[in-house]
Amino acid sequence: MLSCADFLAEFGDYIDDTASSDLRAHLEEHLRECKTCRVIVDSTRKTIDIVTESGCFTLPAEAVDPIVSAVMSRIRQRTT
Amino acid sequence: MSQSATIFNDPPRSYPQLIATYGFLPNLFRAQSTIPRAIEAEERLIDTVVVCQGRLSRGHKDAILNGVATVRGSDYCRALFGHSLAAVPDRNFALFDFSLKLAKHGPWVSGRDVLTLKNSGFDERAILEAIVTTGVGLMLCTLADGLRPRLDTELRSPAPAELLNVPDPLDWPKASGVHLAFSSDSAVDSPAFAVLREQFGYVPNLYRLQSAVPELLDAEVQLLDSVLFPEYGLNRVQKECVLLAISAANLNTYCATLHSQALHILGVPLEESDRIVEDHDQSGISGTDRTLLDETRKLASLPGRSSQRFEPERLRKQGFTERQIVEAVVVSGLANFLNTLQAGVGATADFPPRKIFGPKDLYLFSDRSRPISDATFPEDPDAALVARVRDGDIDVFEELVRRHSRRVFGTLAGLLGNIDDAHDATQEVFLKAFENIGRFQGRSKFSTWLTSIAINAGTDFRRQRRPLESLDETQDDEGFRPRQVQKWADDPERLLAASQMNGLVREAVLRLPEKYRVAVLLRDINQLSTEEAAAVLELSVPALKARVLRGRLMLRESLAPHFVRQDKTDA
């Protein structure tokens, strides 16, 4: 069976759901036996959800127009 | 600097010598008949490097020249070099593979490559001969690309397929330095050094390193003295600008630094050279000279054979004479020769570099997008708009800005950690994209290309403000192991208000080492596919996956104290 270190090195594809069936089987075999790695998988998935949905670096909708205007104005200035 | 100080006064005997070398007078040299001194200097270099007996046999050198012509895609040179072959070239030696790597991926050649050759039993002189032969091969291929002479002899066979697939290099050399050195104190008073001192104000390290090989040094200095220093057609500033632009396109930090300094001595501010390096269209040079750099940059030896051909007609329309056009091509050949020589011997910069090139810089100088399969990406939803902008419909670009401003801003905000800076940089990214849209060939999605520009712009922005934490350098994080192993609450998003959550995530992301932060930004915030993110960062897919996983685990570690379950129920 995989060690925890091996599991942690390999579980990226498992989280992204792109692991081959062989790898998935090995990882799941480890997970059945290892509570710590189960916690890490669960909390990593939650981390990804939180980061993806947080919008922490999102440009507010009202800021889009000013950027579009500024860019287009500079482009038109340069091309005329 | 003064006008050319000719130290070589041999009569023009190059044609008979070329006929002796090749058995006929190659059309490649006839095409340069307006600059006889350049032909003489090229002939002397060919004689010194290829014809004269050295550590390597003529067969080995011809094999290298053939290999260079093949990877460069030059049918003319394949026919020319093939004609001089006495027998089937020996391709089964390590120097041949080294030369192909140098010809196709010069900036990736490292001291380790040279050390491997030494450990295989090649002495430094043999390695130098391979390097210079490769440089000569690339110089002649550049001349053939620009001058397009008729074939002298028919091609006897198609290009050998195995040579067309030189493997892409994996790692950018982490350290610059000298790979080979043939220094000699006795050269201090040599005529060649005197010319270099007169022209540059000092003897650049690239030449100093070769001082113990005087016949080679003399041939190189004659080439400079015949091609670069005279001001009969193009002036010296124009030629130095060509050398600078091509050195930048070839990612050659040493040569770009050398020619920035040469321009500085000629009165061109260093900041102007910086602009030529970044994007000559944004520099203060004349429209005529911009066209000169547009065209000569196409002759750069990276990235392999450009899909855009050198167009002499554009130069004619700008008023360049036929002689000046030939000169532009010859100077481009010189640039590729010097860049190759430097990449092989590894001279260290004579002055602190204004810009240290990395693989990311390949992108803006290339007329193709990153080397990734078209099949990797679904159809690009922006393709039609991009085509209209390329056809001159500027207004359509507005829709592209609208579609992608949030993504670009998000990337920059995550990279810079400052909202105002991200606003400014976002505008610059779109301006740069607009200016370079002619170079976008649609081999990746437009959004991926745009993200690459954002990463480069953000990295440059940070570099201007404080010493850069390189995306490429290994950091001391090998000991990282998850420490927070308590179970998380089932629905952690509900534990905090949205604004608190945003602040928390933002801080955690900004605390990540930059290389992991960028990987997480691209995958989890910008939602790029693994392949797209790897292409943007010029990483292999496994390397990108490793960075994303490490970044996610580090984030998890930072966020865990806020989300662990308060009761002690087991999983």
Side-chain angles (χ1 to χ4, degrees):
Chain A
M1 197 177 81
L2 292 174
S3 67
C4 287
D6 291 339
F7 179 89
L8 291 175
E10 299 289 344
F11 86 110
D13 280 351
Y14 183 72
I15 291 266
D16 281 336
D17 213 16
T18 55
S20 66
S21 51
D22 275 1
L23 177 61
R24 170 175 288 275
H26 277 100
L27 294 171
E28 288 180 344
E29 182 189 6
H30 177 87
L31 278 179
R32 278 194 291 276
E33 304 297 326
C34 180
K35 177 189 153 193
T36 300
C37 287
R38 280 203 302 276
V39 168
I40 290 174
V41 167
D42 174 70
S43 51
T44 304
R45 283 191 168 130
K46 286 172 176 163
T47 299
I48 295 169
D49 288 345
I50 288 169
V51 170
T52 302
E53 291 163 16
S54 77
C56 60
F57 297 113
T58 302
L59 183 68
E62 64 273 16
V64 172
D65 278 342
I67 284 186
V68 173
S69 301
V71 169
M72 293 311 295
S73 148
R74 289 175 67 181
I75 285 174
R76 290 186 180 111
Q77 237 170 16
R78 287 185 185 189
T79 52
T80 52
Chain B
M1 290 181 214
S2 70
Q3 282 272 334
S4 166
T6 304
I7 57 167
F8 305 96
N9 294 312
D10 290 343
R13 289 178 301 193
S14 52
Y15 279 12
Q17 286 166 348
L18 286 165
I19 291 168
T21 301
Y22 294 102
F24 55 89
L25 181 60
N27 289 326
L28 183 65
F29 300 101
R30 288 180 197 273
Q32 303 172 66
S33 59
T34 52
I35 320 178
R37 287 187 60 194
I39 301 172
E40 287 176 39
E42 290 161 12
E43 189 283 326
R44 179 170 178 185
L45 188 67
I46 291 166
D47 188 60
T48 305
V49 172
V50 181
V51 178
C52 289
Q53 183 66 38
R55 292 285 197 283
L56 300 184
S57 70
R58 177 77 189 270
H60 280 149
K61 292 174 187 170
D62 283 339
I64 289 172
L65 290 170
N66 259 288
V68 169
T70 303
V71 299
R72 174 81 186 182
S74 174
D75 285 347
Y76 177 87
C77 284
R78 267 205 318 121
L80 177 65
F81 300 149
H83 182 89
S84 60
L85 286 179
V88 176
D90 176 7
R91 292 178 181 151
N92 296 317
F93 71 120
L95 278 178
F96 183 71
D97 291 337
F98 170 79
S99 297
L100 292 194
K101 179 175 179 181
L102 182 60
K104 192 165 185 186
H105 304 296
W108 279 265
V109 167
S110 66
R112 185 182 298 173
D113 291 315
V114 173
L115 187 63
T116 302
L117 289 174
K118 288 180 192 170
N119 291 340
S120 302
F122 293 101
D123 70 15
E124 294 202 330
R125 184 65 185 256
I127 298 169
L128 178 66
E129 286 179 15
I131 291 168
V132 190
T133 303
T134 305
V136 167
L138 278 175
M139 180 181 79
L140 296 178
C141 288
T142 309
L143 296 176
D145 281 351
L147 302 173
R148 298 182 206 167
R150 277 185 299 109
L151 289 181
D152 301 296
T153 56
E154 285 187 15
L155 271 171
R156 292 173 186 171
S157 58
E162 74 274 13
L163 295 188
L164 296 175
N165 295 313
V166 179
D168 283 342
L170 296 176
D171 300 318
W172 184 261
K174 293 202 183 308
S176 61
V178 176
H179 309 155
L180 283 178
F182 296 87
S183 304
S184 163
D185 292 339
S186 64
V188 171
D189 299 322
S190 71
F193 271 22
V195 172
L196 293 169
R197 273 195 206 96
E198 182 179 356
Q199 294 295 327
F200 292 108
Y202 63 101
V203 178
N205 284 334
L206 178 61
Y207 304 100
R208 201 177 281 281
L209 286 177
Q210 304 173 72
S211 55
V213 194
E215 66 279 12
L216 176 60
L217 185 63
D218 286 349
E220 290 169 10
V221 173
Q222 182 178 350
L223 191 63
L224 295 174
D225 199 41
S226 306
V227 172
L228 176 61
F229 303 153
E231 299 212 31
Y232 305 131
L234 299 176
N235 63 44
R236 178 73 183 277
V237 169
Q238 286 174 311
K239 292 179 191 178
E240 289 287 352
C241 283
V242 170
L243 284 160
L244 175 61
I246 290 185
S247 299
N250 285 339
L251 309 186
N252 192 302
T253 298
Y254 176 90
C255 290
T257 304
L258 172 60
H259 296 297
S260 289
Q261 288 293 334
L263 281 166
H264 190 49
I265 294 172
L266 292 164
V268 178
L270 290 170
E271 294 74 17
E272 178 72 345
S273 291
D274 293 346
R275 285 188 284 273
I276 292 171
V277 164
E278 290 296 334
D279 182 356
H280 58 262
D281 281 342
Q282 300 307 310
S283 69
I285 61 175
S286 68
T288 305
D289 286 348
R290 280 185 211 164
T291 307
L292 176 67
L293 298 190
D294 275 348
E295 291 309 311
T296 51
R297 214 162 193 162
K298 292 177 186 172
L299 293 171
S301 57
L302 278 181
R305 190 175 174 78
S306 167
S307 60
Q308 287 190 351
R309 296 195 73 184
F310 176 77
E311 296 174 66
E313 194 51 37
R314 284 192 69 208
L315 296 176
R316 286 188 193 106
K317 283 181 182 167
Q318 291 286 336
F320 287 100
T321 64
E322 290 307 307
R323 183 200 157 100
Q324 286 175 319
I325 293 171
V326 172
E327 209 173 2
V329 173
V330 173
V331 172
S332 303
L334 171 67
N336 283 331
F337 171 75
L338 295 175
N339 283 188
T340 306
L341 180 60
Q342 191 282 327
V345 302
T348 49
D350 304 284
F351 298 91
R354 306 275 295 178
K355 177 181 176 78
I356 296 175
F357 293 97
K360 291 191 298 301
D361 298 307
L362 183 61
Y363 190 45
L364 284 176
F365 301 130
S366 171
D367 66 348
R368 61 174 193 175
S369 53
R370 289 162 194 277
I372 38 182
S373 159
D374 289 347
T376 307
F377 299 102
E379 194 173 325
D380 188 349
D382 298 320
L385 293 180
V386 170
R388 287 174 61 190
V389 176
R390 286 164 60 100
D391 287 343
D393 192 346
I394 294 172
D395 293 340
V396 170
F397 194 70
E398 181 169 331
E399 176 58 23
L400 290 171
V401 181
R402 195 171 294 285
R403 282 186 188 182
H404 297 291
S405 55
R406 302 184 88 179
R407 173 192 289 239
V408 168
F409 175 88
T411 302
L412 289 163
L415 198 55
L416 301 174
N418 178 297
I419 299 300
D420 291 336
D421 288 347
H423 271 286
D424 293 344
T426 299
Q427 290 188 29
E428 297 305 320
V429 166
F430 281 109
L431 288 174
K432 199 158 223 172
F434 179 79
E435 285 152 8
N436 289 282
I437 203 161
R439 299 178 189 177
F440 173 64
Q441 297 290 305
R443 294 186 193 177
S444 66
K445 286 202 290 188
F446 176 74
S447 56
T448 308
W449 182 71
L450 198 56
T451 306
S452 296
I453 297 176
I455 295 286
N456 286 339
T459 305
D460 287 346
F461 201 96
R462 282 169 61 83
R463 185 180 286 139
Q464 287 162 14
R465 292 189 312 173
R466 58 177 180 270
L468 186 67
E469 181 186 350
S470 167
L471 295 188
D472 302 316
E473 285 171 12
T474 304
Q475 295 175 17
D476 185 20
D477 53 22
E478 293 306 312
F480 175 81
R481 294 282 182 276
R483 296 176 198 283
Q484 304 277 355
V485 291
Q486 291 167 279
K487 187 169 170 39
W488 281 27
D490 287 337
D491 207 354
E493 293 90 338
R494 291 191 175 185
L495 296 178
L496 296 171
S499 61
Q500 281 179 297
M501 183 67 89
N502 283 351
L504 192 64
V505 173
R506 182 183 156 78
E507 275 180 32
V509 170
L510 290 175
R511 272 202 304 273
L512 287 176
E514 188 166 293
K515 66 179 180 179
Y516 302 125
R517 186 185 341 150
V518 173
V520 168
L521 276 168
L522 295 184
R523 279 288 286 127
D524 294 336
I525 296 178
N526 272 348
Q527 304 272 290
L528 265 60
S529 70
T530 298
E531 289 76 15
E532 287 172 315
V536 165
L537 296 177
E538 293 201 328
L539 292 171
S540 65
V541 165
L544 184 278
K545 284 180 176 178
R547 287 193 188 182
V548 170
L549 180 57
R550 179 63 59 87
R552 286 169 171 174
L553 286 172
M554 287 177 161
L555 277 178
R556 190 199 74 92
E557 205 74 6
S558 289
L559 298 176
H562 303 274
F563 300 125
V564 291
R565 224 158 131 160
Q566 296 305 308
D567 63 72
K568 300 294 179 193
T569 313
D570 197 1

